[in-house]
Each structure stands twice: as C-alpha cells, then as structure tokens.
PDB file of all heavy atoms in Angstrom:
ATOM      1  N   PHE A   1      -2.353   8.145   5.473  1.00  0.00           N
ATOM      2  CA  PHE A   1      -0.967   8.539   5.237  1.00  0.00           C
ATOM      3  C   PHE A   1      -0.736   8.658   3.740  1.00  0.00           C
ATOM      4  O   PHE A   1      -1.361   7.957   2.944  1.00  0.00           O
ATOM      5  CB  PHE A   1       0.007   7.538   5.875  1.00  0.00           C
ATOM      6  CG  PHE A   1      -0.053   6.153   5.301  1.00  0.00           C
ATOM      7  CD1 PHE A   1       0.745   5.774   4.233  1.00  0.00           C
ATOM      8  CD2 PHE A   1      -0.917   5.210   5.839  1.00  0.00           C
ATOM      9  CE1 PHE A   1       0.688   4.500   3.710  1.00  0.00           C
ATOM     10  CE2 PHE A   1      -0.988   3.927   5.331  1.00  0.00           C
ATOM     11  CZ  PHE A   1      -0.175   3.566   4.257  1.00  0.00           C
ATOM     12  N   PRO A   2       0.171   9.550   3.328  1.00  0.00           N
ATOM     13  CA  PRO A   2       0.471   9.699   1.904  1.00  0.00           C
ATOM     14  C   PRO A   2       1.269   8.505   1.394  1.00  0.00           C
ATOM     15  O   PRO A   2       2.220   8.052   2.047  1.00  0.00           O
ATOM     16  CB  PRO A   2       1.301  10.975   1.824  1.00  0.00           C
ATOM     17  CG  PRO A   2       1.530  11.441   3.212  1.00  0.00           C
ATOM     18  CD  PRO A   2       0.874  10.510   4.156  1.00  0.00           C
ATOM     19  N   SER A   3       0.895   8.009   0.239  1.00  0.00           N
ATOM     20  CA  SER A   3       1.624   6.884  -0.352  1.00  0.00           C
ATOM     21  C   SER A   3       3.073   7.254  -0.635  1.00  0.00           C
ATOM     22  O   SER A   3       3.941   6.383  -0.682  1.00  0.00           O
ATOM     23  CB  SER A   3       0.939   6.417  -1.632  1.00  0.00           C
ATOM     24  OG  SER A   3       0.881   7.460  -2.584  1.00  0.00           O
ATOM     25  N   SER A   4       3.359   8.525  -0.770  1.00  0.00           N
ATOM     26  CA  SER A   4       4.719   8.982  -1.058  1.00  0.00           C
ATOM     27  C   SER A   4       5.684   8.758   0.107  1.00  0.00           C
ATOM     28  O   SER A   4       6.887   8.981  -0.037  1.00  0.00           O
ATOM     29  CB  SER A   4       4.709  10.470  -1.423  1.00  0.00           C
ATOM     30  OG  SER A   4       4.222  11.241  -0.337  1.00  0.00           O
ATOM     31  N   ARG A   5       5.203   8.284   1.248  1.00  0.00           N
ATOM     32  CA  ARG A   5       6.070   8.023   2.400  1.00  0.00           C
ATOM     33  C   ARG A   5       6.729   6.640   2.315  1.00  0.00           C
ATOM     34  O   ARG A   5       7.552   6.294   3.161  1.00  0.00           O
ATOM     35  CB  ARG A   5       5.274   8.122   3.700  1.00  0.00           C
ATOM     36  CG  ARG A   5       4.674   9.480   3.996  1.00  0.00           C
ATOM     37  CD  ARG A   5       5.675  10.595   4.192  1.00  0.00           C
ATOM     38  NE  ARG A   5       6.632  10.386   5.225  1.00  0.00           N
ATOM     39  CZ  ARG A   5       6.515  10.750   6.494  1.00  0.00           C
ATOM     40  NH1 ARG A   5       5.426  11.362   6.896  1.00  0.00           N
ATOM     41  NH2 ARG A   5       7.475  10.514   7.358  1.00  0.00           N
ATOM     42  N   PHE A   6       6.374   5.839   1.278  1.00  0.00           N
ATOM     43  CA  PHE A   6       6.950   4.504   1.102  1.00  0.00           C
ATOM     44  C   PHE A   6       7.528   4.367  -0.303  1.00  0.00           C
ATOM     45  O   PHE A   6       6.892   4.745  -1.287  1.00  0.00           O
ATOM     46  CB  PHE A   6       5.897   3.418   1.354  1.00  0.00           C
ATOM     47  CG  PHE A   6       5.500   3.326   2.793  1.00  0.00           C
ATOM     48  CD1 PHE A   6       4.418   4.032   3.280  1.00  0.00           C
ATOM     49  CD2 PHE A   6       6.237   2.551   3.677  1.00  0.00           C
ATOM     50  CE1 PHE A   6       4.056   3.966   4.615  1.00  0.00           C
ATOM     51  CE2 PHE A   6       5.896   2.477   5.015  1.00  0.00           C
ATOM     52  CZ  PHE A   6       4.797   3.193   5.489  1.00  0.00           C
ATOM     53  N   LYS A   7       8.731   3.829  -0.371  1.00  0.00           N
ATOM     54  CA  LYS A   7       9.464   3.719  -1.636  1.00  0.00           C
ATOM     55  C   LYS A   7       8.658   3.045  -2.737  1.00  0.00           C
ATOM     56  O   LYS A   7       8.563   3.567  -3.845  1.00  0.00           O
ATOM     57  CB  LYS A   7      10.774   2.952  -1.423  1.00  0.00           C
ATOM     58  CG  LYS A   7      11.758   3.665  -0.545  1.00  0.00           C
ATOM     59  CD  LYS A   7      12.969   2.791  -0.247  1.00  0.00           C
ATOM     60  CE  LYS A   7      13.865   3.430   0.791  1.00  0.00           C
ATOM     61  NZ  LYS A   7      14.977   2.560   1.171  1.00  0.00           N
ATOM     62  N   LEU A   8       8.105   1.876  -2.462  1.00  0.00           N
ATOM     63  CA  LEU A   8       7.380   1.133  -3.502  1.00  0.00           C
ATOM     64  C   LEU A   8       6.057   1.785  -3.883  1.00  0.00           C
ATOM     65  O   LEU A   8       5.614   1.663  -5.019  1.00  0.00           O
ATOM     66  CB  LEU A   8       7.124  -0.302  -3.053  1.00  0.00           C
ATOM     67  CG  LEU A   8       8.194  -1.309  -3.418  1.00  0.00           C
ATOM     68  CD1 LEU A   8       7.907  -2.670  -2.806  1.00  0.00           C
ATOM     69  CD2 LEU A   8       8.339  -1.446  -4.921  1.00  0.00           C
ATOM     70  N   LEU A   9       5.425   2.458  -2.962  1.00  0.00           N
ATOM     71  CA  LEU A   9       4.110   3.038  -3.234  1.00  0.00           C
ATOM     72  C   LEU A   9       4.191   4.418  -3.885  1.00  0.00           C
ATOM     73  O   LEU A   9       3.236   4.865  -4.505  1.00  0.00           O
ATOM     74  CB  LEU A   9       3.305   3.146  -1.936  1.00  0.00           C
ATOM     75  CG  LEU A   9       3.056   1.850  -1.178  1.00  0.00           C
ATOM     76  CD1 LEU A   9       2.228   2.129   0.069  1.00  0.00           C
ATOM     77  CD2 LEU A   9       2.383   0.814  -2.060  1.00  0.00           C
ATOM     78  N   LYS A  10       5.310   5.057  -3.755  1.00  0.00           N
ATOM     79  CA  LYS A  10       5.465   6.440  -4.208  1.00  0.00           C
ATOM     80  C   LYS A  10       5.123   6.645  -5.681  1.00  0.00           C
ATOM     81  O   LYS A  10       4.444   7.605  -6.035  1.00  0.00           O
ATOM     82  CB  LYS A  10       6.894   6.916  -3.933  1.00  0.00           C
ATOM     83  CG  LYS A  10       7.126   8.366  -4.288  1.00  0.00           C
ATOM     84  CD  LYS A  10       8.513   8.804  -3.923  1.00  0.00           C
ATOM     85  CE  LYS A  10       8.683  10.268  -4.288  1.00  0.00           C
ATOM     86  NZ  LYS A  10       9.964  10.794  -3.859  1.00  0.00           N
ATOM     87  N   ASN A  11       5.571   5.747  -6.542  1.00  0.00           N
ATOM     88  CA  ASN A  11       5.424   5.962  -7.980  1.00  0.00           C
ATOM     89  C   ASN A  11       4.482   4.992  -8.677  1.00  0.00           C
ATOM     90  O   ASN A  11       4.461   4.939  -9.901  1.00  0.00           O
ATOM     91  CB  ASN A  11       6.801   5.910  -8.646  1.00  0.00           C
ATOM     92  CG  ASN A  11       7.701   7.029  -8.164  1.00  0.00           C
ATOM     93  OD1 ASN A  11       7.284   8.186  -8.119  1.00  0.00           O
ATOM     94  ND2 ASN A  11       8.909   6.697  -7.775  1.00  0.00           N
ATOM     95  N   VAL A  12       3.684   4.245  -7.921  1.00  0.00           N
ATOM     96  CA  VAL A  12       2.745   3.318  -8.563  1.00  0.00           C
ATOM     97  C   VAL A  12       1.547   4.089  -9.105  1.00  0.00           C
ATOM     98  O   VAL A  12       1.297   5.235  -8.724  1.00  0.00           O
ATOM     99  CB  VAL A  12       2.275   2.209  -7.581  1.00  0.00           C
ATOM    100  CG1 VAL A  12       3.457   1.396  -7.088  1.00  0.00           C
ATOM    101  CG2 VAL A  12       1.475   2.778  -6.443  1.00  0.00           C
ATOM    102  N   THR A  13       0.798   3.445  -9.985  1.00  0.00           N
ATOM    103  CA  THR A  13      -0.401   4.085 -10.526  1.00  0.00           C
ATOM    104  C   THR A  13      -1.492   4.118  -9.459  1.00  0.00           C
ATOM    105  O   THR A  13      -1.446   3.376  -8.469  1.00  0.00           O
ATOM    106  CB  THR A  13      -0.927   3.310 -11.750  1.00  0.00           C
ATOM    107  OG1 THR A  13      -1.377   2.021 -11.320  1.00  0.00           O
ATOM    108  CG2 THR A  13       0.150   3.169 -12.826  1.00  0.00           C
ATOM    109  N   ASP A  14      -2.478   4.955  -9.660  1.00  0.00           N
ATOM    110  CA  ASP A  14      -3.615   5.013  -8.740  1.00  0.00           C
ATOM    111  C   ASP A  14      -4.325   3.660  -8.671  1.00  0.00           C
ATOM    112  O   ASP A  14      -4.776   3.245  -7.607  1.00  0.00           O
ATOM    113  CB  ASP A  14      -4.610   6.094  -9.163  1.00  0.00           C
ATOM    114  CG  ASP A  14      -4.066   7.505  -8.982  1.00  0.00           C
ATOM    115  OD1 ASP A  14      -3.067   7.677  -8.250  1.00  0.00           O
ATOM    116  OD2 ASP A  14      -4.650   8.434  -9.560  1.00  0.00           O
ATOM    117  N   GLU A  15      -4.403   2.982  -9.810  1.00  0.00           N
ATOM    118  CA  GLU A  15      -5.050   1.673  -9.857  1.00  0.00           C
ATOM    119  C   GLU A  15      -4.276   0.644  -9.027  1.00  0.00           C
ATOM    120  O   GLU A  15      -4.867  -0.163  -8.313  1.00  0.00           O
ATOM    121  CB  GLU A  15      -5.182   1.185 -11.304  1.00  0.00           C
ATOM    122  CG  GLU A  15      -6.154   1.996 -12.148  1.00  0.00           C
ATOM    123  CD  GLU A  15      -5.584   3.335 -12.627  1.00  0.00           C
ATOM    124  OE1 GLU A  15      -4.341   3.511 -12.673  1.00  0.00           O
ATOM    125  OE2 GLU A  15      -6.400   4.229 -12.928  1.00  0.00           O
ATOM    126  N   GLN A  16      -2.961   0.657  -9.123  1.00  0.00           N
ATOM    127  CA  GLN A  16      -2.137  -0.255  -8.323  1.00  0.00           C
ATOM    128  C   GLN A  16      -2.264   0.063  -6.836  1.00  0.00           C
ATOM    129  O   GLN A  16      -2.368  -0.836  -6.014  1.00  0.00           O
ATOM    130  CB  GLN A  16      -0.673  -0.178  -8.752  1.00  0.00           C
ATOM    131  CG  GLN A  16      -0.387  -0.797 -10.094  1.00  0.00           C
ATOM    132  CD  GLN A  16       1.041  -0.538 -10.535  1.00  0.00           C
ATOM    133  OE1 GLN A  16       1.509   0.596 -10.527  1.00  0.00           O
ATOM    134  NE2 GLN A  16       1.728  -1.605 -10.912  1.00  0.00           N
ATOM    135  N   LEU A  17      -2.249   1.337  -6.504  1.00  0.00           N
ATOM    136  CA  LEU A  17      -2.350   1.751  -5.105  1.00  0.00           C
ATOM    137  C   LEU A  17      -3.685   1.304  -4.499  1.00  0.00           C
ATOM    138  O   LEU A  17      -3.745   0.878  -3.346  1.00  0.00           O
ATOM    139  CB  LEU A  17      -2.200   3.271  -4.991  1.00  0.00           C
ATOM    140  CG  LEU A  17      -2.121   3.836  -3.588  1.00  0.00           C
ATOM    141  CD1 LEU A  17      -0.880   3.326  -2.855  1.00  0.00           C
ATOM    142  CD2 LEU A  17      -2.123   5.362  -3.647  1.00  0.00           C
ATOM    143  N   ALA A  18      -4.743   1.358  -5.295  1.00  0.00           N
ATOM    144  CA  ALA A  18      -6.080   1.007  -4.818  1.00  0.00           C
ATOM    145  C   ALA A  18      -6.245  -0.484  -4.537  1.00  0.00           C
ATOM    146  O   ALA A  18      -7.189  -0.886  -3.860  1.00  0.00           O
ATOM    147  CB  ALA A  18      -7.125   1.467  -5.819  1.00  0.00           C
ATOM    148  N   LYS A  19      -5.326  -1.302  -5.016  1.00  0.00           N
ATOM    149  CA  LYS A  19      -5.429  -2.754  -4.831  1.00  0.00           C
ATOM    150  C   LYS A  19      -4.834  -3.196  -3.494  1.00  0.00           C
ATOM    151  O   LYS A  19      -4.116  -4.177  -3.401  1.00  0.00           O
ATOM    152  CB  LYS A  19      -4.743  -3.483  -5.983  1.00  0.00           C
ATOM    153  CG  LYS A  19      -5.446  -3.294  -7.309  1.00  0.00           C
ATOM    154  CD  LYS A  19      -4.730  -4.026  -8.412  1.00  0.00           C
ATOM    155  CE  LYS A  19      -5.405  -3.779  -9.746  1.00  0.00           C
ATOM    156  NZ  LYS A  19      -4.666  -4.428 -10.842  1.00  0.00           N
ATOM    157  N   VAL A  20      -5.170  -2.481  -2.447  1.00  0.00           N
ATOM    158  CA  VAL A  20      -4.676  -2.776  -1.103  1.00  0.00           C
ATOM    159  C   VAL A  20      -5.697  -3.658  -0.392  1.00  0.00           C
ATOM    160  O   VAL A  20      -6.902  -3.522  -0.597  1.00  0.00           O
ATOM    161  CB  VAL A  20      -4.403  -1.476  -0.311  1.00  0.00           C
ATOM    162  CG1 VAL A  20      -5.660  -0.638  -0.177  1.00  0.00           C
ATOM    163  CG2 VAL A  20      -3.797  -1.779   1.042  1.00  0.00           C
ATOM    164  N   ALA A  21      -5.198  -4.558   0.428  1.00  0.00           N
ATOM    165  CA  ALA A  21      -6.056  -5.459   1.201  1.00  0.00           C
ATOM    166  C   ALA A  21      -5.550  -5.555   2.633  1.00  0.00           C
ATOM    167  O   ALA A  21      -4.374  -5.317   2.909  1.00  0.00           O
ATOM    168  CB  ALA A  21      -6.058  -6.842   0.563  1.00  0.00           C
ATOM    169  N   ILE A  22      -6.460  -5.885   3.515  1.00  0.00           N
ATOM    170  CA  ILE A  22      -6.099  -6.117   4.913  1.00  0.00           C
ATOM    171  C   ILE A  22      -5.668  -7.564   5.052  1.00  0.00           C
ATOM    172  O   ILE A  22      -6.336  -8.468   4.567  1.00  0.00           O
ATOM    173  CB  ILE A  22      -7.288  -5.822   5.840  1.00  0.00           C
ATOM    174  CG1 ILE A  22      -7.674  -4.349   5.731  1.00  0.00           C
ATOM    175  CG2 ILE A  22      -6.962  -6.209   7.275  1.00  0.00           C
ATOM    176  CD1 ILE A  22      -8.957  -4.013   6.446  1.00  0.00           C
ATOM    177  N   ARG A  23      -4.542  -7.784   5.715  1.00  0.00           N
ATOM    178  CA  ARG A  23      -4.020  -9.133   5.936  1.00  0.00           C
ATOM    179  C   ARG A  23      -3.659  -9.325   7.402  1.00  0.00           C
ATOM    180  O   ARG A  23      -3.652  -8.375   8.183  1.00  0.00           O
ATOM    181  CB  ARG A  23      -2.772  -9.384   5.066  1.00  0.00           C
ATOM    182  CG  ARG A  23      -3.051  -9.408   3.591  1.00  0.00           C
ATOM    183  CD  ARG A  23      -3.837 -10.664   3.222  1.00  0.00           C
ATOM    184  NE  ARG A  23      -3.931 -10.837   1.792  1.00  0.00           N
ATOM    185  CZ  ARG A  23      -4.991 -10.516   1.065  1.00  0.00           C
ATOM    186  NH1 ARG A  23      -6.031  -9.997   1.646  1.00  0.00           N
ATOM    187  NH2 ARG A  23      -5.000 -10.704  -0.231  1.00  0.00           N
ATOM    188  N   LEU A  24      -3.316 -10.541   7.754  1.00  0.00           N
ATOM    189  CA  LEU A  24      -2.895 -10.911   9.117  1.00  0.00           C
ATOM    190  C   LEU A  24      -3.904 -10.447  10.168  1.00  0.00           C
ATOM    191  O   LEU A  24      -3.543  -9.842  11.182  1.00  0.00           O
ATOM    192  CB  LEU A  24      -1.496 -10.376   9.426  1.00  0.00           C
ATOM    193  CG  LEU A  24      -0.371 -10.875   8.523  1.00  0.00           C
ATOM    194  CD1 LEU A  24       0.926 -10.170   8.849  1.00  0.00           C
ATOM    195  CD2 LEU A  24      -0.227 -12.378   8.661  1.00  0.00           C
ATOM    196  N   ASN A  25      -5.178 -10.714   9.886  1.00  0.00           N
ATOM    197  CA  ASN A  25      -6.256 -10.384  10.831  1.00  0.00           C
ATOM    198  C   ASN A  25      -6.284  -8.913  11.206  1.00  0.00           C
ATOM    199  O   ASN A  25      -6.582  -8.552  12.344  1.00  0.00           O
ATOM    200  CB  ASN A  25      -6.162 -11.250  12.084  1.00  0.00           C
ATOM    201  CG  ASN A  25      -6.345 -12.715  11.779  1.00  0.00           C
ATOM    202  OD1 ASN A  25      -7.218 -13.077  11.002  1.00  0.00           O
ATOM    203  ND2 ASN A  25      -5.519 -13.549  12.368  1.00  0.00           N
ATOM    204  N   GLY A  26      -5.936  -8.037  10.269  1.00  0.00           N
ATOM    205  CA  GLY A  26      -6.003  -6.597  10.501  1.00  0.00           C
ATOM    206  C   GLY A  26      -4.708  -5.953  10.937  1.00  0.00           C
ATOM    207  O   GLY A  26      -4.646  -4.745  11.123  1.00  0.00           O
ATOM    208  N   TYR A  27      -3.650  -6.744  11.073  1.00  0.00           N
ATOM    209  CA  TYR A  27      -2.371  -6.200  11.542  1.00  0.00           C
ATOM    210  C   TYR A  27      -1.475  -5.682  10.410  1.00  0.00           C
ATOM    211  O   TYR A  27      -0.447  -5.070  10.682  1.00  0.00           O
ATOM    212  CB  TYR A  27      -1.602  -7.248  12.354  1.00  0.00           C
ATOM    213  CG  TYR A  27      -2.204  -7.490  13.712  1.00  0.00           C
ATOM    214  CD1 TYR A  27      -3.110  -8.523  13.923  1.00  0.00           C
ATOM    215  CD2 TYR A  27      -1.901  -6.663  14.791  1.00  0.00           C
ATOM    216  CE1 TYR A  27      -3.684  -8.735  15.163  1.00  0.00           C
ATOM    217  CE2 TYR A  27      -2.470  -6.862  16.036  1.00  0.00           C
ATOM    218  CZ  TYR A  27      -3.366  -7.899  16.217  1.00  0.00           C
ATOM    219  OH  TYR A  27      -3.937  -8.098  17.447  1.00  0.00           O
ATOM    220  N   ALA A  28      -1.858  -5.921   9.158  1.00  0.00           N
ATOM    221  CA  ALA A  28      -1.009  -5.491   8.045  1.00  0.00           C
ATOM    222  C   ALA A  28      -1.850  -5.114   6.831  1.00  0.00           C
ATOM    223  O   ALA A  28      -2.981  -5.583   6.657  1.00  0.00           O
ATOM    224  CB  ALA A  28      -0.030  -6.595   7.669  1.00  0.00           C
ATOM    225  N   LEU A  29      -1.269  -4.264   5.990  1.00  0.00           N
ATOM    226  CA  LEU A  29      -1.834  -3.935   4.689  1.00  0.00           C
ATOM    227  C   LEU A  29      -0.973  -4.620   3.639  1.00  0.00           C
ATOM    228  O   LEU A  29       0.248  -4.684   3.783  1.00  0.00           O
ATOM    229  CB  LEU A  29      -1.819  -2.425   4.463  1.00  0.00           C
ATOM    230  CG  LEU A  29      -2.504  -1.571   5.520  1.00  0.00           C
ATOM    231  CD1 LEU A  29      -2.426  -0.101   5.125  1.00  0.00           C
ATOM    232  CD2 LEU A  29      -3.938  -2.009   5.735  1.00  0.00           C
ATOM    233  N   ARG A  30      -1.609  -5.110   2.575  1.00  0.00           N
ATOM    234  CA  ARG A  30      -0.894  -5.884   1.559  1.00  0.00           C
ATOM    235  C   ARG A  30      -1.279  -5.428   0.162  1.00  0.00           C
ATOM    236  O   ARG A  30      -2.459  -5.251  -0.141  1.00  0.00           O
ATOM    237  CB  ARG A  30      -1.215  -7.366   1.733  1.00  0.00           C
ATOM    238  CG  ARG A  30      -0.739  -8.272   0.635  1.00  0.00           C
ATOM    239  CD  ARG A  30       0.695  -8.602   0.781  1.00  0.00           C
ATOM    240  NE  ARG A  30       1.124  -9.497  -0.306  1.00  0.00           N
ATOM    241  CZ  ARG A  30       2.350  -9.666  -0.675  1.00  0.00           C
ATOM    242  NH1 ARG A  30       3.315  -9.034  -0.041  1.00  0.00           N
ATOM    243  NH2 ARG A  30       2.680 -10.457  -1.651  1.00  0.00           N
ATOM    244  N   TRP A  31      -0.255  -5.243  -0.673  1.00  0.00           N
ATOM    245  CA  TRP A  31      -0.419  -4.999  -2.095  1.00  0.00           C
ATOM    246  C   TRP A  31       0.189  -6.210  -2.811  1.00  0.00           C
ATOM    247  O   TRP A  31       1.418  -6.269  -3.004  1.00  0.00           O
ATOM    248  CB  TRP A  31       0.298  -3.720  -2.529  1.00  0.00           C
ATOM    249  CG  TRP A  31      -0.381  -2.455  -2.111  1.00  0.00           C
ATOM    250  CD1 TRP A  31      -1.221  -1.697  -2.885  1.00  0.00           C
ATOM    251  CD2 TRP A  31      -0.276  -1.771  -0.865  1.00  0.00           C
ATOM    252  NE1 TRP A  31      -1.651  -0.604  -2.172  1.00  0.00           N
ATOM    253  CE2 TRP A  31      -1.076  -0.621  -0.915  1.00  0.00           C
ATOM    254  CE3 TRP A  31       0.422  -2.035   0.324  1.00  0.00           C
ATOM    255  CZ2 TRP A  31      -1.205   0.268   0.131  1.00  0.00           C
ATOM    256  CZ3 TRP A  31       0.291  -1.149   1.384  1.00  0.00           C
ATOM    257  CH2 TRP A  31      -0.505  -0.018   1.276  1.00  0.00           C
TER     258      TRP A  31
END
C-alpha cells in the first residue's frame, strides 16, 4: 500500500518509513 494513504506516513523521509517492524505476533506494523 502507498504510504500516502496514512497521515503520519505521508510526509516522513524514506529512512523513517523504512524503520517499520512487525509487532503483536504479526497482527500489526509499528514505526
């Protein structure tokens, strides 16, 4: 999905966007 579909992710740097992790045993993504 495009990061532009979420308010907080829309304008972050590529480096910030890349710092995503899987959380809650695979049920969520976390920055």
Side-chain angles (χ1 to χ4, degrees):
F1 64 90
S3 60
S4 61
R5 298 297 303 269
F6 290 93
K7 294 174 188 175
L8 270 174
L9 301 181
K10 184 177 181 175
N11 296 312
V12 300
T13 66
D14 291 343
E15 292 78 21
Q16 288 173 309
L17 187 63
K19 293 180 183 177
V20 59
I22 297 171
R23 294 290 190 260
L24 300 174
N25 297 317
Y27 287 94
L29 305 181
R30 170 81 180 160
W31 286 263

